């Protein structure tokens, strides 16, 4: 058993494999993946012996493959549809179908329900493992309530159009193009914040610079959930806004009567925006979060020898 300090972060990592060359890791793997890999080793020292983490120059891609298949905090294997690489493939058709100009309320509610259900499950799975260990009936009811009200709120523009029997094209365009932008960002924020609200109520595990757990912090839980919710709001808000900007730029080139070309242009813009914003959103805040000593509870401040504590933010 040996201890190794990493230059990327102040954590001291237990190394059960003396043959593991940290210099090779640092040169072969991008900084983001390497920091996640170190976080996984610190929070799950019992799993470090897995053969999947033994690699050389020829198989330096293994940390990326393993990190996409396991939870960075608990080490549990993630279901295939909820792994980060599958997020684009799973969410893209849901986002496209939910943003279409529906004629009735029923299809709008259906696609919003599927999208919000997938988002709620993804947010719960990738939350801090502290809240998942305490999963209860209250948590399940919380997820069900989140899906219910976000579904109704997401279909609100179509509900207003149908209930008020709006036929004016300019007013319809407002409810179908302008209103969904802030609404999508708000619903994405609310989805994360509500599903992971147990982390803000009970707190999450925090660690010192040596990787030792020092307790549970509600302040760290609030910070982790807020940062994750903001990153998700940026992703879905930008995805909803970009097709509108693209339509404005190309409105002179697309004839007014060509509805098929307009829908195709919006779908391509939505696909491009979501594909671009997913990696930006996931890396907007570091997975290995830090919180200053002044922000945590008084009983935890003495453990912050270097002025800050560390926690797993979630995805």
């Amino acid at each position: 058993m040996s201890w190794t300090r990493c230059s990327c972060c102040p954590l001291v990592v237990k190394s059960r494999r003396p043959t593991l060359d940290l210099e090779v890791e640092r040169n072969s793997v991008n900084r983001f993946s390497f920091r996640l890999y170190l976080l996984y080793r610190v929070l799950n020292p019992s799993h470090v012996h897995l053969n999947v983490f033994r690699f050389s120059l020829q198989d330096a891609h293994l940390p990326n493959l393993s990190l996409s298949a396991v939870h960075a905090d608990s080490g549990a294997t993630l279901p295939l549809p909820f792994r980060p690489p599958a997020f684009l493939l799973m969410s893209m058709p849901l986002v496209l179908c939910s943003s279409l100009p529906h004629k009735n309320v029923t299809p709008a509610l259906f696609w919003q329900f599927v999208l919000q259900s997938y988002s709620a499950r993804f947010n719960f799975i990738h939350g801090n493992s502290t809240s998942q260990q305490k999963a209860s009936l209250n948590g399940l009811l919380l997820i069900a309530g989140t899906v219910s009200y976000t579904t109704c709120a997401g279909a609100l523009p179509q509900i207003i159009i149908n209930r008020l029997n709006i036929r004016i094209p300019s007013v319809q365009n407002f409810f179908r193009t302008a209103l969904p932008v802030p609404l999508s960002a708000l619903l994405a924020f609310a989805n994360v914040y509500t599903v992971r609200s147990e982390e803000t109520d009970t707190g999450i595990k925090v660690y010192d610079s040596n990787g030792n757990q020092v307790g549970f912090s509600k302040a760290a839980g609030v910070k982790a959930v807020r940062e994750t919710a903001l990153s998700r709001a940026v992703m879905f808000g930008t995805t909803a806004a970009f097709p509108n900007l693209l339509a404005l730029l190309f409105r002179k080139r697309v004839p007014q009567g060509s509805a098929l070309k307009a829908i195709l242009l919006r779908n391509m813009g939505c696909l491009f925006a979501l594909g671009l914003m997913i990696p930006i959103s996931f890396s907007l805040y570091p997975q290995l979060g830090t919180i200053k000593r002044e922000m945590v509870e008084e009983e935890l401040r003495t453990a912050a020898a270097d002025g800050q504590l560390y926690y797993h933010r979630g995805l």
Side-chain angles (χ1 to χ4, degrees):
M1 179 82 65
S2 61
W3 293 85
T4 308
R5 182 174 290 275
C6 173
S7 63
C8 302
C9 57
L11 293 178
V12 176
V13 181
K14 284 183 181 179
S15 177
R16 300 196 176 200
R17 290 285 182 183
T19 59
L20 188 62
D21 189 358
L22 290 179
E23 198 65 37
V24 172
E25 291 177 305
R26 203 174 295 117
N27 295 332
S28 303
V29 186
N30 60 73
R31 180 176 291 257
F32 175 71
S33 298
F34 185 61
R35 286 170 64 91
L36 285 181
Y37 173 54
L38 288 179
L39 174 65
Y40 180 79
R41 292 180 60 187
V42 170
L43 301 185
N44 301 274
S46 61
H47 294 279
V48 175
H49 66 279
L50 293 176
N51 292 332
V52 72
F53 291 118
R54 297 188 64 188
F55 62 96
S56 60
L57 286 173
Q58 287 75 22
D59 52 3
H61 62 286
L62 285 182
N64 293 325
L65 296 177
S66 61
L67 287 170
S68 66
V70 298
H71 193 282
D73 188 13
S74 64
T77 303
L78 298 173
L80 185 60
F82 299 100
R83 295 178 183 178
F87 186 81
L88 177 62
L89 297 177
M90 297 297 297
S91 62
M92 173 50 61
L94 306 181
V95 172
L96 289 178
C97 293
S98 61
S99 62
L100 289 175
H102 302 286
K103 293 183 179 181
N104 299 318
V105 176
T106 302
L109 285 173
F110 172 77
W111 289 112
Q112 282 292 333
F113 172 77
V114 178
L115 174 62
Q116 299 300 335
S117 299
Y118 176 79
S119 299
R121 183 61 178 167
F122 185 91
N123 295 331
F124 178 78
I125 288 179
H126 288 274
N128 191 279
S129 63
T130 305
S131 62
Q132 295 179 4
Q133 293 174 356
K134 301 177 182 179
S136 59
L137 179 61
N138 183 36
L140 297 177
L141 293 176
L142 200 60
I143 294 177
T146 302
V147 173
S148 299
Y149 78 74
T150 52
T151 298
C152 296
L156 187 61
Q158 188 64 42
I159 295 175
I160 294 176
I161 291 175
N162 282 54
R163 294 293 293 179
L164 299 181
N165 197 22
I166 297 175
R167 293 291 180 264
I168 303 175
S170 59
V171 180
Q172 286 187 351
N173 288 335
F174 170 78
F175 282 105
R176 287 175 174 171
T177 58
L179 184 58
V181 175
L183 188 61
S184 299
L186 182 62
L187 292 180
F189 184 93
N191 196 310
V192 176
Y193 210 92
T194 309
V195 168
R196 295 177 55 180
S197 61
E198 286 193 20
E199 300 177 26
T200 63
D201 295 336
T202 61
I204 60 176
K205 297 177 183 178
V206 289
Y207 302 83
D208 58 16
S209 58
N210 295 321
N212 301 316
Q213 181 183 340
V214 298
F216 293 84
S217 173
K218 292 184 180 180
V222 171
K223 187 172 183 287
V225 175
R226 183 178 65 249
E227 290 178 348
T228 306
L230 286 174
S231 66
R232 203 76 87 245
V234 169
M235 178 176 64
F236 281 101
T238 305
T239 302
F242 185 78
N244 298 333
L245 298 177
L246 199 63
L248 289 176
L249 293 176
F250 290 92
R251 62 181 177 180
K252 293 183 179 180
R253 299 185 180 182
V254 178
Q256 292 292 334
S258 181
L260 182 60
K261 290 184 178 180
I263 293 177
L264 182 61
L265 180 63
R266 289 182 59 85
N267 291 345
M268 293 299 295
C270 187
L271 175 62
F272 174 79
L274 185 60
L276 180 66
M277 290 306 300
I278 285 177
I280 294 177
S281 172
F282 287 174
S283 59
L284 191 60
Y285 297 98
Q287 289 282 307
L288 181 60
T290 59
I291 184 170
K292 295 181 180 180
R293 176 166 48 191
E294 296 78 14
M295 299 176 62
V296 299
E297 292 77 359
E298 292 187 5
E299 60 270 17
L300 300 176
R301 294 178 181 178
T302 55
D306 57 347
Q308 58 186 1
L309 294 174
Y310 303 87
Y311 62 88
H312 176 254
R313 177 179 65 85
L315 191 63

